[in-house]
Amino acid sequence: MNQNTVKTDEDLIVGNTNYDPEGNLVYDPIIGKLAIWAGIATALLLGILSYLVATGIWPIQGFGQFAAAGPAVAVFTGTSVGLALGGLTGALIGLSKMIKKNKRKVGQQEQAYTQ
């Protein structure tokens, strides 16, 4: 039961678009930008804070084990965790901005249809 159908070129080409068939955004570049910038900022912040704790400049009770391996390991760990945490946070903020943009667009379309 092999049914051959004739398809045009338009049916075979997948477009490079950020919108789904209903016209909603699927990806917005703000997601990537916020993930990168929030990741870098949080990595720097946690890297500096971990250095201060590891060297004893800013002693925090209970973080002695954190400084046991030395400041280099503490900075690497703090920077790595900061990059991951900041990247995830920035991507989620960008995703919420994209969703708000979609809702705003749908509201504008509904107003245009009612007028």
Side-chain angles (χ1 to χ4, degrees), residues 49-72:
L49 289 177
S50 62
Y51 175 77
L52 293 175
V53 170
T55 56
I57 295 172
W58 188 28
I60 298 176
Q61 186 177 7
F63 278 84
Q65 295 293 330
F66 185 72

Side-chain angles (χ1 to χ4, degrees), residues 3-115:
Q3 296 179 357
N4 293 330
T5 58
V6 177
K7 294 189 177 188
T8 62
D9 288 341
E10 291 82 18
D11 294 332
L12 301 175
I13 296 174
V14 176
N16 187 8
T17 182
N18 293 334
Y19 296 94
D20 66 0
E22 285 83 30
N24 295 321
L25 269 174
V26 176
Y27 174 76
D28 194 357
I30 193 72
I31 297 170
K33 290 177 186 176
L34 281 175
I36 289 171
W37 288 111
I40 290 171
T42 309
L44 286 173
L45 177 69
L46 285 182
I48 291 169
L49 289 177
S50 62
Y51 175 77
L52 293 175
V53 170
T55 56
I57 295 172
W58 188 28
I60 298 176
Q61 186 177 7
F63 278 84
Q65 295 293 330
F66 185 72
V73 175
V75 169
F76 177 74
T77 304
T79 304
S80 301
V81 169
L83 185 64
L85 185 64
L88 179 63
T89 304
L92 290 175
I93 292 170
L95 187 62
S96 69
K97 287 186 175 221
M98 184 189 74
I99 290 171
K100 287 179 185 176
K101 190 185 289 186
N102 277 341
K103 287 182 181 178
R104 198 174 327 125
K105 181 181 174 186
V106 168
Q108 290 173 353
Q109 288 175 349
E110 287 176 357
Q111 286 179 353
Y113 289 133
T114 58
Q115 293 176 356

